[in-house]
Amino acid sequence: MACAACHAGSSLALRKSVSSNRVVVKSNLNGVGSSSISFPIYLSCKGISTSNASFSSRNLFSRSSKFLRFDRFKSFSSHGNGKANTKPSEERVTVLVIGEGGREHALCYALRKSPSCDAVFCAPGNAGIAQSGDATCITNLDISDSAAVASFCRMWGVGLVVVGPEAPLVAGLVNELSNAGIPTFGPSAEAAALEGSKNFMKKLCDKYGIPTAKYQTFTNPDDAKAYVEEQGAPIVVKADGLAAGKGVVVAMKLSEAISAIDSMLVQGSFGSSGSQIIIEEFLEGEEVSFFALVDGETALLLESAQDHKRVGDGDTGPNTGGMGAYSPAPVLTKDLQSVVMETIIRPTVKGMAAEGCKFIGVLYAGLMIEKKTGLPKLIEYNVRFGDPECQVLMMRLESDLAQVLLAACRGQLGQVSLAWSSEPALVVVMASKGYPISYQKGTVIKNIEEVETVVPMVKTFHASTGLDAYGNFIAIGGRVLGVTARGKVIEEAKERAYDAVEAIDWPEGFFRRDIGWRALKQKQSA
């Protein structure tokens, strides 16, 4: 089946909301003439949350006592002076970001800074995104209802949708919105199979000669156990489908591999995502994240990043969604980047097109730089920005993100070049104690907003926060905050990030204390 292409349709007029006794803000969104947004006069400065607003395909905009939150409808330049800094002829755009985590907060932050971006919505978003003013959070827009999302986009003149998490991509949200004529950044459901099915990805590698670990696919637990006993340990067991970053077991002993097989194929710990598993050879070396923007034919290299998957210091304990990251990654030299582009990224882009399934979006390649060869092998593909790698990338990006993503949607990445800060960035994830296994929710976090005023070049991205009845931030998930800093050198970025972490008052939270150790070790060796 051919993939749904991402087409940039004509700009849509922004319609007004409903109410009386409201202040009206005039705008010229998307260059289509005067439009207006209205909201209560007494909320015109700070706005409030949308906990009682609801959206569906049949009842697009209903409300009880609360209204949409409109913190900022003018973007800020990368210089932070609040001016648009755009050419008069440059296209204006309103953007909707789909998702609710730290990655989406980072995207909202970068889009809000984009000179050509008039407004940023985030659905559903979270309390921290809303309170920071980086986006207007639409908490009750059902992102699984593509008709409701399309209706919202038409109502508010959204000229670009950016889909953050993998689940809506695999479910086909991009297909539906693109078919409705709404420019949407991200792969179609067919192309998202690169992440949605590890078996699909491995078969593509086989067909197009992309270097990856040797593997076998299994649905029968007895066959899988016989294979690992034949191969020996260490060995890697993976759930075929989406598992929120937790469906990979690096088994250093045969007993761990057997246990993982039973967990996935017998006990069904990952549901249908684990009904088929991949067992692959253990690769020894250094993991690194490689990102490229793709418009179906052209791949544009992003800056490198490296994350820390294990929960504990020294890379110990179970895998998580990521406990921290930094950019750039010294291990990924310019020469290695060229090798990755030529042997992994471009063959993948060409292969997907040849399969009638053009890829548009972010190709996030999890790589292993093998110790024995010094060459990269593909561990797995993700089809969206990484989390927490996105946080450090967006801290360093100086280009107009809105225009870059629109160019990807339109097949025009060949006309784009990216500008990055030369300063490295580092993010430390603060998580609820007990993560990734079991953890308490609802614990109060204080001093989040204050740290950005005391520690220079720091931004706290919210992954899982809410507000209690007293207006305090509370933790509502496992990974809760991504405290991110830039510095002239990696040591300075690390010092600033940890200074900010220490200033946040959250007794029920924890964090790794060694984020960036590989970069520092590499620097010392050099």
Side-chain angles (χ1 to χ4, degrees):
M1 182 185 295
C3 293
C6 179
H7 299 291
S10 58
S11 298
L12 300 170
L14 182 66
R15 301 175 189 173
K16 62 183 180 179
S17 62
V18 292
S19 187
S20 56
N21 300 320
R22 305 170 77 81
V23 62
V24 177
V25 176
K26 293 292 183 179
S27 182
N28 184 26
L29 300 184
N30 303 322
V32 294
S34 179
S35 302
S36 64
I37 303 167
S38 63
F39 49 94
I41 292 173
Y42 63 90
L43 299 179
S44 61
C45 294
K46 293 186 176 179
I48 57 176
S49 69
T50 60
S51 57
N52 287 341
S54 62
F55 296 86
S56 69
S57 55
R58 288 178 293 182
N59 181 22
L60 181 63
F61 183 54
S62 64
R63 57 184 173 81
S64 52
S65 60
K66 294 186 179 180
F67 303 90
L68 292 176
R69 175 186 172 88
F70 293 94
D71 284 274
R72 299 183 185 179
F73 271 84
K74 294 304 293 180
S75 62
F76 292 80
S77 74
S78 59
H79 305 292
N81 58 12
K83 296 179 181 178
N85 289 339
T86 56
K87 299 175 183 178
S89 59
E90 191 171 49
E91 178 182 1
R92 311 295 303 172
V93 64
T94 295
V95 184
L96 169 64
V97 175
I98 300 292
E100 60 185 340
R103 166 185 48 228
E104 288 73 41
H105 192 177
L107 290 170
C108 290
Y109 165 79
L111 287 162
R112 194 259 296 170
K113 291 194 305 178
S114 296
S116 68
C117 191
D118 276 323
V120 183
F121 293 104
C122 187
N126 63 47
I129 296 174
Q131 291 293 313
S132 69
D134 289 323
T136 299
C137 288
I138 315 300
T139 59
N140 286 348
L141 176 57
D142 183 358
I143 62 174
S144 67
D145 184 345
S146 59
V149 176
S151 296
F152 177 87
C153 291
R154 294 190 186 98
M155 180 177 185
W156 293 103
V158 171
L160 172 66
V161 176
V162 180
V163 184
E166 60 273 23
L169 294 170
V170 173
L173 180 60
V174 172
N175 303 55
E176 299 295 333
L177 295 181
S178 296
N179 289 339
I182 299 167
T184 306
F185 179 77
S188 66
E190 296 78 17
L194 275 174
E195 178 171 0
S197 170
K198 293 178 180 63
N199 188 51
F200 175 89
M201 184 272 287
K202 287 287 193 177
K203 286 184 175 179
L204 189 84
C205 289
D206 287 345
K207 187 171 182 178
Y208 293 97
I210 299 164
T212 188
K214 182 179 71 174
Y215 77 101
Q216 289 288 336
T217 303
F218 297 93
T219 56
N220 182 288
D222 293 331
D223 293 342
K225 291 174 186 177
Y227 181 75
V228 298
E229 287 171 358
E230 175 189 327
Q231 296 298 313
I235 199 163
V236 182
V237 182
K238 297 180 176 180
D240 178 59
L242 299 180
K246 301 178 184 68
V248 177
V249 175
V250 180
M252 302 309 291
K253 301 176 182 178
L254 278 178
S255 59
E256 294 172 349
I258 299 297
S259 176
I261 292 167
D262 281 336
S263 174
M264 295 177 193
L265 291 182
V266 179
Q267 298 160 18
S269 56
F270 295 107
S272 60
S273 291
S275 60
Q276 178 170 265
I277 64 172
I278 307 295
I279 299 178
E280 64 182 26
E281 67 172 318
F282 173 81
L283 299 177
E284 187 178 1
E286 191 164 344
E287 285 191 52
V288 66
S289 302
F290 190 98
F291 298 90
L293 296 180
V294 182
D295 66 4
E297 297 180 359
T298 301
L300 181 64
L301 172 67
L302 299 180
E303 279 289 279
S304 63
Q306 194 162 22
D307 75 340
H308 299 255
K309 287 292 185 191
R310 302 270 185 173
V311 72
D313 289 355
D315 293 327
T316 57
N319 274 336
T320 71
M323 294 300 295
Y326 53 89
S327 173
V331 67
L332 203 57
T333 63
K334 295 296 181 185
D335 287 343
L336 269 179
Q337 289 178 17
S338 297
V339 171
V340 174
M341 289 296 288
E342 291 305 316
T343 65
I344 296 175
I345 300 298
R346 291 196 178 102
T348 298
V349 174
K350 290 179 181 178
M352 292 294 283
E355 295 297 315
C357 193
K358 281 189 175 183
F359 187 93
I360 295 168
V362 177
L363 263 183
Y364 163 15
L367 305 175
M368 180 68 75
I369 310 302
E370 275 202 285
K371 185 177 181 179
K372 62 183 179 181
T373 66
L375 294 175
K377 280 189 175 180
L378 179 65
I379 300 173
E380 64 181 10
Y381 267 130
N382 294 317
V383 296
R384 33 68 187 182
F385 284 101
D387 186 343
E389 295 97 330
C390 186
Q391 287 84 313
V392 288
L393 291 176
M394 293 304 105
M395 255 323 245
R396 296 186 60 212
L397 181 67
E398 294 183 340
S399 296
D400 186 321
L401 181 62
Q403 292 304 309
V404 171
L405 300 187
L406 276 173
C409 289
R410 294 167 177 168
Q412 298 172 351
L413 279 181
Q415 305 170 24
V416 170
S417 61
L418 296 176
W420 300 90
S421 168
S422 60
E423 295 186 342
L426 183 143
V427 56
V428 178
V429 170
M430 299 187 74
S432 300
K433 286 181 180 177
Y435 173 81
I437 301 170
S438 62
Y439 48 85
Q440 182 182 356
K441 295 182 180 181
T443 57
V444 174
I445 314 169
K446 297 180 180 178
N447 295 344
I448 297 177
E449 294 169 317
E450 288 77 3
V451 297
E452 294 179 13
T453 64
V454 237
V455 185
M457 299 302 295
V458 163
K459 174 70 178 178
T460 301
F461 296 110
H462 291 244
S464 301
T465 58
L467 294 176
D468 66 12
Y470 304 99
N472 298 310
F473 281 116
I474 56 172
I476 59 173
R479 293 188 300 160
V480 179
L481 300 173
V483 183
T484 312
R486 249 175 46 195
K488 292 180 181 178
V489 291
I490 189 68
E491 291 90 342
E492 185 176 53
K494 180 177 180 177
E495 182 181 1
R496 287 173 172 174
Y498 277 104
D499 283 348
V501 166
E502 294 289 355
I504 292 173
D505 182 5
W506 184 27
E508 295 81 9
F510 80 99
F511 53 91
R512 279 185 58 166
R513 297 180 179 274
D514 63 345
I515 302 301
W517 72 265
R518 284 193 182 92
L520 294 170
K521 182 179 178 181
Q522 183 109 354
K523 188 174 180 180
Q524 289 164 2
S525 299

